[in-house]
Amino acid sequence: MKEGLIKDTYELIIKEIQTVITVCYLLAVGIGMIFNYKKYAEFGINIFDYGDVFDFLIAPFSDVYIILFAAASTLFISILFYIDYVWFKRWPKSYSRFNFGSDRNKWFKQYRVLMITTGLVVYLFLSAGFYGKYTKKKITNQRDITITMVDNEMKKGKLIGKTKDIVFLLNDDGVFAIPLTSVVKQIKIK
């Protein structure tokens, strides 16, 4: 009987860990997509027009800043939830005064979740906007690279980024999307 209980507990823990890992990965992919969108939007590029599913599945791992932000955000939000929970449990009178007594209403739990979710979304988009501006400044200050086309024509500029099939280049003439596997030489974006 004891072995069955241990086995059931072990299986439950493994199942929960798998769920947590999946949710964290999906959250990281979402954060990576938002951050990549804002990065490319700074140059007038809608990355969703050029990227495929695989580009977005690896988006959170394409830049160390995105990984750090995703980890720090998850930790920060977890800490806020924990502090809120501890405050509610340890000092209920103070918690109630801070919330003007609304924590006694039925709708307070839904309101709390809605406010935290809304705050998280606003926080993500503001942070992604900051990241976009930061990376644009970083890209415009980097050295030029040279891309040699199939017909030996050379294209010089600053590397904005790339997807599986396209390299984005910024030079004095504008922003270019250069396909890697096509007979098309370039696409001028801006």
Side-chain angles (χ1 to χ4, degrees), residues 52-63:
D52 65 359
V53 174
F54 183 71
D55 292 322
F56 296 113
L57 290 177
I58 63 166
F61 311 108
S62 64
D63 189 346

Side-chain angles (χ1 to χ4, degrees), residues 41-90:
E42 285 290 321
F43 296 97
I45 302 167
N46 182 355
I47 193 62
F48 296 114
D49 290 340
Y50 298 97
D52 65 359
V53 174
F54 183 71
D55 292 322
F56 296 113
L57 290 177
I58 63 166
F61 311 108
S62 64
D63 189 346
V64 94
Y65 292 113
I66 296 174
I67 294 171
L68 291 174
F69 181 81
S73 295
T74 304
L75 181 65
F76 178 70
I77 291 163
S78 299
I79 289 170
L80 285 179
F81 268 112
Y82 182 73
I83 289 171
D84 185 63
Y85 176 76
V86 168
W87 187 10
F88 175 72
K89 289 295 182 186
R90 280 208 176 156

Side-chain angles (χ1 to χ4, degrees), residues 146-161:
T146 304
I147 296 177
T148 305
M149 309 287 196
V150 176
D151 62 355
N152 288 331
E153 178 188 347
M154 298 179 127
K155 197 79 168 160
K156 198 171 190 175
K158 298 179 186 321
L159 178 66
I160 297 170

Side-chain angles (χ1 to χ4, degrees), residues 129-140:
F130 173 77
Y131 171 79
K133 289 177 185 4
Y134 169 77
T135 54
K136 182 177 184 179
K137 189 175 187 179
K138 191 172 154 184
I139 288 168
T140 55

Side-chain angles (χ1 to χ4, degrees), residues 49-51 161-168 176-181 187:
D49 290 340
Y50 298 97
K162 67 185 192 80
T163 64
K164 186 178 81 174
D165 299 322
I166 296 179
V167 173
F168 297 98
F176 293 90
I178 302 171
L180 296 173
T181 58
I187 302 166

